[in-house]
Amino acid sequence: MTKLSRQRLHVLIEPRVLFPAFTLIVLAVVWGATLYLIDVERANARKAAAVSTSDQVQTYGAQVVRAVREIDLTLKVVKYAFERNEGRIDLATLQDRTLLPSNLVFKVSIADRNGMIVSGMDPALSNNVSYRTYFQQQRQGDALAVSRPQQETDSDEWRLFFTRRLDDESGYFAGVAIIAVGADFFVSGYDEGKLGTEGVLGVIGDDGVFRARRTGDTVAYGEAVDFNTLLAQGFVTNAGTEAPRAGTASAPRSVSFAMRSSTDS
């Protein structure tokens, strides 16, 4: 070892040099470990949020399906009673016999072949619904139909209309059985404890229109989105995908959805 090398080594091992260097190394190790743990915790939190979101969607989806199945079952009861009695039906009697659900939430009406309301427990409904899409759809065939959110002329409430076709004894179109439900009923399960004040819970049809969408205490109706494009781009999946919030580059959301139909169990 040369004299110059010995001098350099002597300088390096002097306390005034060795201790600060050692301190910097320790700090680097501590900060590296801290940042690693932060990344691990962040990844675990994102994974937990995705799983929680997916679980909530599955639970919420099952609740919506049960409600829609109850509505459809009621429509089928009304259809059976109407067609069995050749168009004579007393909804009040069916209600008294608990064959219809609570009139506080589900309001049942019957329109004749011309769209005139001939029986019902929905004072907010127009006297003639022949111009409504949900009425015209039933002329084409018997299937459960769900309208987009709509308001009556003298009401601020947004409602969904579930319908089934009624036939006469010859099998010809005789009218429509209708159940009106407040659209906000389908997002009443919003849990701020789980979703926070800026979460989103919504029901969207296969036409890309939200029947209802809730964030905190705010409920919106009838918004249109290109949901199929979002699916194709992988923006949302049914497994809890992290996605950026609209209008901001930060605070990502965990997004999940569940495809449901009234025939699901």
Side-chain angles (χ1 to χ4, degrees):
M1 180 179 295
T2 65
K3 182 179 180 180
L4 179 60
S5 298
R6 288 196 298 271
Q7 289 177 342
R8 288 178 177 177
L9 179 61
H10 179 73
V11 170
L12 290 175
I13 62 177
E14 287 185 359
R16 62 187 180 85
V17 175
L18 182 61
F19 289 164
F22 180 75
T23 301
L24 288 175
I25 292 173
V26 172
L27 287 174
V29 172
V30 170
W31 274 108
T34 300
L35 293 175
Y36 172 76
L37 291 175
I38 290 174
D39 287 341
V40 171
E41 290 297 321
R42 182 182 292 114
N44 290 337
R46 288 174 175 173
K47 182 178 180 180
V51 172
S52 175
T53 301
S54 181
D55 289 344
Q56 290 179 56
V57 166
Q58 296 301 324
T59 300
Y60 173 66
Q63 294 172 350
V64 171
V65 168
R66 284 196 295 270
V68 173
R69 291 182 66 184
E70 181 178 354
I71 291 169
D72 193 28
L73 179 60
T74 300
L75 290 170
K76 289 178 177 178
V77 168
V78 173
K79 176 180 175 67
Y80 175 79
F82 179 92
E83 295 176 356
R84 180 178 176 83
N85 295 284
E86 298 180 349
R88 297 185 299 274
I89 184 172
D90 186 351
L91 294 179
T93 299
L94 294 179
Q95 184 76 65
D96 291 341
R97 295 180 178 178
T98 66
L99 294 175
L100 302 181
S102 170
N103 189 44
L104 295 176
V105 179
F106 306 103
K107 300 188 183 299
V108 184
S109 301
I110 294 176
D112 65 16
R113 58 171 47 88
N114 298 314
M116 296 299 298
I117 299 299
V118 295
S119 181
M121 296 174 281
D122 186 359
L125 191 61
S126 303
N127 292 329
N128 189 304
V129 296
S130 61
Y131 63 97
R132 296 285 197 181
T133 301
Y134 62 74
F135 178 87
Q136 297 171 5
Q137 284 179 309
Q138 295 301 337
R139 290 185 178 273
Q140 310 305 318
D142 181 26
L144 176 66
V146 185
S147 75
R148 294 181 178 184
Q150 298 178 8
Q151 285 179 304
E152 297 300 319
T153 303
D154 299 325
S155 174
D156 294 330
E157 183 184 19
W158 287 90
R159 302 195 296 174
L160 303 179
F161 295 87
F162 298 77
T163 58
R164 271 198 178 273
R165 173 188 173 111
L166 302 175
D167 292 323
D168 61 22
E169 61 274 12
S170 300
Y172 293 107
F173 178 73
V176 174
I178 306 167
I179 293 182
V181 186
D184 58 355
F185 170 80
F186 292 96
V187 290
S188 60
Y190 187 99
D191 186 345
E192 192 169 302
K194 295 180 179 178
L195 297 174
T197 58
E198 297 185 8
V200 177
L201 182 64
V203 178
I204 187 171
D206 55 13
D207 57 358
V209 175
F210 273 105
R211 269 46 184 178
R213 181 186 62 79
R214 179 171 175 177
T215 296
D217 294 328
T218 303
V219 183
Y221 310 95
E223 295 175 321
V225 297
D226 191 349
F227 193 66
N228 289 329
T229 298
L230 296 181
L231 289 177
Q233 295 174 348
F235 185 78
V236 293
T237 75
N238 60 355
T241 299
E242 184 177 291
R245 290 173 52 184
T248 178
S250 61
R253 294 186 188 275
S254 181
V255 182
S256 187
F257 74 95
M259 306 290 284
R260 290 289 184 265
S261 73
S262 60
T263 58
D264 289 342
S265 59

